[in-house]
Amino acid sequence: NVVVVAGRLLDRSGVAEGEPDSSATEQAARVIEDIAFKYDAVLEWPAQTNKLTFRLLLGIGRTSADDPLHASRLSLDVLEALEGLSADSLSPLVAALGISRGLVNTVRSGQGRPRIEPVGNVFDVARELCNSAEANQVLASGEIYRLARRIFAFEDDGGRLVSVTGAESAPSLRAYRLRGARTREERARESAQLASQVGLVGRASEIQALVETYDEVLSSVTSSYVGIVGEIGVGKTALVSAALGRLKPSPLVIHVD
């Protein structure tokens, strides 16, 4: 399971027609290569004749539950880096990006070189998201949105429908525009809202275990540690927030990023 970031370079007005200044394109390519190295992402240039489109894959070799988060941050880093690169350029370039998640296979060609091939339409989805995004925009698939929205903010417009060329099933999907990383205040407000919710289906025993641990710490005046482990999106934050709402007296909560 990998996360795919597809991108295309545009001039400042958002136009992709014509051939941008070659020196500006090469500078942008080097920036993207540096960012790929930073995130341990595989970088591909789908067009053989130029570097106006690119594809970054996270999770090749070692898949992480945090790959959707890393892809979101990577995408924002690309936009920010190109903005800085273009500040004093006569031929400024920006990017439009799309993020999707899916399966790939690593196969070897006749010459023994590894080649990455998609399973299904994961590359097509990322490309169509990218093509639907405007200059300086990042569009994410619904799965990326669900997995990253705790940490990253998205436009609160319900998303938009994007058609996927050649898709036999689900020919269109809902895309969400990534705005940026959530502030600590935004995350704290959401945690408070979750804590006020009554009931969390299937988590009664876990909540009770946290409440009992808290009561034991208060009565014994000692310290205790509880680890909440699970992949992104399974409900760790909701579980802790629900438990916090039941602790008496209310504890002082310290968030560490």
Side-chain angles (χ1 to χ4, degrees):
N1 222 349
V2 301
V3 179
V4 180
V5 179
R8 57 193 175 104
L9 296 177
L10 311 163
D11 65 25
R12 183 59 64 87
S13 65
V15 176
E17 297 178 355
E19 194 75 23
D21 179 81
S22 59
S23 62
T25 303
E26 286 301 322
Q27 286 181 324
R30 285 195 292 271
V31 166
I32 294 169
E33 289 168 356
D34 289 342
I35 293 175
F37 178 80
K38 172 183 175 182
Y39 285 91
D40 195 23
V42 174
L43 172 61
E44 298 180 334
W45 306 98
Q48 300 296 323
T49 58
N50 59 53
K51 293 186 176 181
L52 298 180
T53 60
F54 55 91
R55 184 166 55 227
L56 294 144
L57 298 95
L58 292 90
I60 298 294
R62 185 181 64 178
T63 301
S64 168
D66 290 334
D67 286 340
L69 303 181
H70 295 157
S72 299
R73 170 50 60 193
L74 178 154
S75 300
L76 295 173
D77 283 355
V78 169
L79 296 185
E80 183 179 351
L82 291 178
E83 182 69 22
L85 181 67
S86 299
D88 300 319
S89 175
L90 296 177
S91 303
L93 293 176
V94 295
L97 302 166
I99 314 175
S100 68
R101 192 182 191 209
L103 298 175
V104 299
N105 281 330
T106 302
V107 299
R108 292 193 175 275
S109 64
Q111 298 177 343
R113 295 179 179 177
R115 184 178 70 255
I116 299 171
E117 293 185 346
V119 177
N121 61 352
V122 58
F123 286 0
D124 296 331
V125 169
R127 185 189 65 245
E128 295 298 342
L129 289 170
C130 168
N131 290 340
S132 298
E134 299 176 6
N136 274 327
Q137 283 189 357
V138 180
L139 291 183
S141 67
E143 184 179 11
I144 297 297
Y145 165 74
R146 180 178 64 84
L147 296 173
R149 63 182 176 177
R150 294 264 186 238
I151 307 299
F152 293 91
F154 293 80
E155 290 291 342
D156 189 20
D157 57 4
R160 70 176 81 165
L161 287 178
V162 172
S163 298
V164 181
T165 304
E168 297 180 358
S169 61
S172 63
L173 57 88
R174 193 163 295 278
Y176 300 83
R177 182 183 174 186
L178 176 64
R179 288 198 293 113
R182 285 181 179 271
T183 65
R184 183 171 299 179
E185 291 74 18
E186 289 175 330
R187 294 167 64 181
R189 283 197 300 269
E190 183 175 11
S191 294
Q193 291 173 354
L194 286 172
S196 65
Q197 295 176 355
V198 178
L200 193 63
V201 177
R203 291 290 184 261
S205 60
E206 289 86 350
I207 293 174
Q208 185 60 31
L210 291 173
V211 172
E212 291 176 355
T213 300
Y214 182 72
D215 292 340
E216 181 180 347
V217 166
L218 289 180
S219 61
S220 62
V221 196
T222 58
S223 298
S224 184
Y225 301 89
V226 178
I228 310 298
V229 181
E231 292 192 1
I232 298 174
V234 299
K236 299 187 296 299
T237 301
L239 170 63
V240 173
S241 298
L244 288 175
R246 302 187 186 186
L247 302 183
K248 303 297 180 184
S250 298
L252 172 65
V253 179
I254 299 175
H255 294 268
V256 179
D257 294 328

